[in-house]
Amino acid sequence: MTGRRAVRVMARRGASDRWKERAARLLAARLLGRSLLAGGGLAVAAMPIGLALGVGPALGVPTTAALLDPAARLAILAMGIAFAFARYLVGRAAGAGRRARLSPA
């Protein structure tokens, strides 16, 4: 049973409870898979920061002090906003749809 079909079965009044339970299990499994994928993406995105904070002091790089410095935090914020804006402009110039512009990759 596909995802669209499972949604139709859940919404249909005349469907038996057996089919609705089967559709609910399928939808729950799909939701779990997507949630794990999103969690993995967040972990991958946070990995460089964790690595810098963990390895930086051992190498003599003042990463913790840099992250607590207000000027450095403002510079990081400005770079992040500039990067997001540049990605938005590149997506619009390429003619990508709304979903492609908002995708993380």
Side-chain angles (χ1 to χ4, degrees), residues 1-9 22-23 26-27 30:
M1 181 181 303
T2 64
R4 288 179 191 254
R5 186 173 175 196
V7 171
R8 282 194 312 240
V9 166
R22 185 175 176 190
L26 176 76
L27 291 173
R30 288 183 62 210

Side-chain angles (χ1 to χ4, degrees), residues 10-62:
M10 293 292 289
R12 202 168 69 200
R13 277 187 157 204
S16 70
D17 286 343
R18 178 179 177 268
W19 281 103
K20 285 185 178 183
E21 288 173 5
R22 185 175 176 190
R25 279 193 302 268
L26 176 76
L27 291 173
R30 288 183 62 210
L31 182 61
L32 175 67
R34 288 184 181 192
S35 296
L36 289 174
L37 188 65
L42 284 173
V44 167
M47 202 176 303
I49 295 172
L51 186 65
L53 289 174
V55 177
L59 297 176
V61 180

Side-chain angles (χ1 to χ4, degrees), residues 6 11 17 33 44 48 53 64-65 69-70 72 89 91 99:
D17 286 343
V44 167
L53 289 174
T64 309
D69 180 33
L89 289 178
R99 183 180 175 109

Side-chain angles (χ1 to χ4, degrees), residues 41 45 83 87 99-105:
F83 178 69
R87 284 193 57 203
R99 183 180 175 109
R101 283 196 309 266
L102 296 176
S103 69

Side-chain angles (χ1 to χ4, degrees), residues 71-94:
R73 291 175 74 178
L74 187 62
I76 292 170
L77 175 67
M79 287 186 295
I81 292 172
F83 178 69
F85 187 67
R87 284 193 57 203
Y88 174 76
L89 289 178
V90 167
R92 283 185 67 94

